Amino acid sequence: MLTNTQDNAPIGATADVSPQWPAEHEWPAADAPATVHVRFLRDRLGLRCYPTPNAADIAASAKYIYVNAVADWKADRGGADMTAEERVDLQNIADAEAAATSKGPLALTHQAFTEAATITDAMIDRAWGGKHTGRGIAVALGRSTKGFPLAQLDVDPRHGGEIDGPLVASLTSDRAASMTAVTPGGGLHIFVVSDPSLRPQVSGALAPGVELRTTGYAMMPSGASSAGDRHLVGGQSWGRAWVSTGCPQRAPESLRKAVHRVGG
């Protein structure tokens, strides 16, 4: 029996009498607005969703970082002027720091979405609607009000992960028991049902280029927002999209037998 990790109550003991995993045809269309995807993840899977930065958020963050870096630089040097080269260096650093935030919750809204008892429709519309339609979706791992706490297996071919290797095959051969998304880097995110005994595994512990996350956040396909979430790797382009939306299986023993572990 699946349980709600927030209170360890079996499914059926929560407000939802008997949550069922959504059938494939019930999932939002691949090009649906992010607001539709967020409501689905909230209402059907009980996941806590967070907005992730879009291009405008990243640009604003880079500007903020740069302005503060320039002020600090001048304060440390008695108000001396910067050379053009020094300004470019600081701008590059600011751009890199801002870009690094793109795969996690937007700092501006993180506290409100964490502390809210419920993520309301109004919050969703403000965070992902209007000028914010390009924002992506991150969900909190290990947490679900519907009894579907998730852990994420990240298979990254850029670091040696084999998307057609035996470990992946054992988890995705049955599409009905596979919740799997392709990533912008050409890899896979495979979701399994988490439990308190499942430990995170660093990249390489299970297999090269494979990492198991049980806490923190996982990026989800966000429909129309995912169209811009792509880049070229080896001459090919990937977005962030579902490969299969079957009910995830409990984490098998193959994910519990690693040489190195994180968190004991």
Side-chain angles (χ1 to χ4, degrees):
M1 178 181 291
L2 297 177
T3 61
N4 182 335
T5 58
Q6 290 182 315
D7 55 14
N8 292 322
I11 292 178
T14 63
D16 299 282
V17 176
S18 183
Q20 298 295 318
W21 188 261
E24 184 174 0
H25 71 273
E26 296 179 282
W27 285 67
D31 60 352
T35 51
V36 174
H37 286 263
V38 174
R39 286 185 172 89
F40 175 84
L41 294 172
R42 178 197 65 183
D43 298 339
R44 297 302 304 274
L45 305 189
L47 301 179
R48 173 68 55 132
C49 297
Y50 295 80
T52 64
N54 60 14
D57 293 319
I58 293 172
S61 178
K63 181 178 180 180
Y64 176 83
I65 294 170
Y66 174 76
V67 168
N68 281 277
V70 170
D72 290 343
W73 190 96
K74 289 187 174 183
D76 291 341
R77 293 162 178 79
D81 289 332
M82 302 177 68
T83 65
E85 183 177 358
E86 287 168 336
R87 287 185 178 276
V88 170
D89 288 342
L90 280 185
Q91 185 65 68
N92 289 338
I93 292 171
D95 290 344
E97 289 186 10
T101 67
S102 64
K103 294 183 179 180
L106 181 66
L108 185 66
T109 59
H110 183 263
Q111 182 175 354
F113 275 73
T114 298
E115 296 179 351
T118 301
I119 305 302
T120 65
D121 286 346
M123 291 174 68
I124 292 172
D125 290 337
R126 285 195 300 269
W128 282 277
K131 65 180 181 180
H132 303 310
T133 53
R135 287 176 174 171
I137 302 169
V139 300
L141 293 172
R143 179 178 183 180
S144 170
T145 60
K146 304 290 185 180
F148 303 121
L150 299 176
Q152 179 200 65
L153 194 73
D154 183 2
V155 183
D156 190 344
R158 297 169 298 182
H159 295 92
E162 297 182 356
I163 61 174
D164 56 355
L167 178 60
V168 171
S170 69
L171 296 171
T172 61
S173 58
D174 182 3
R175 288 180 60 87
S178 171
M179 182 184 182
T180 305
V182 66
T183 71
L188 294 174
H189 284 169
I190 304 169
F191 294 90
V192 296
V193 176
S194 187
D195 63 70
S197 68
L198 187 65
R199 296 291 191 179
Q201 309 287 358
V202 297
S203 180
L206 294 165
V210 176
E211 179 181 1
L212 178 65
R213 301 187 183 108
T214 60
T215 59
Y217 306 94
M219 295 291 290
M220 290 283 184
S222 53
S225 294
S226 291
D229 188 10
R230 59 179 68 237
H231 57 261
L232 295 177
V233 179
Q236 299 188 58
S237 178
W238 292 273
R240 193 182 298 278
W242 292 114
V243 175
S244 59
T245 55
C247 183
Q249 60 181 292
R250 284 188 179 277
E253 286 302 309
S254 59
L255 299 185
R256 304 174 188 273
K257 297 178 179 179
V259 176
H260 304 291
R261 295 192 173 196
V262 176

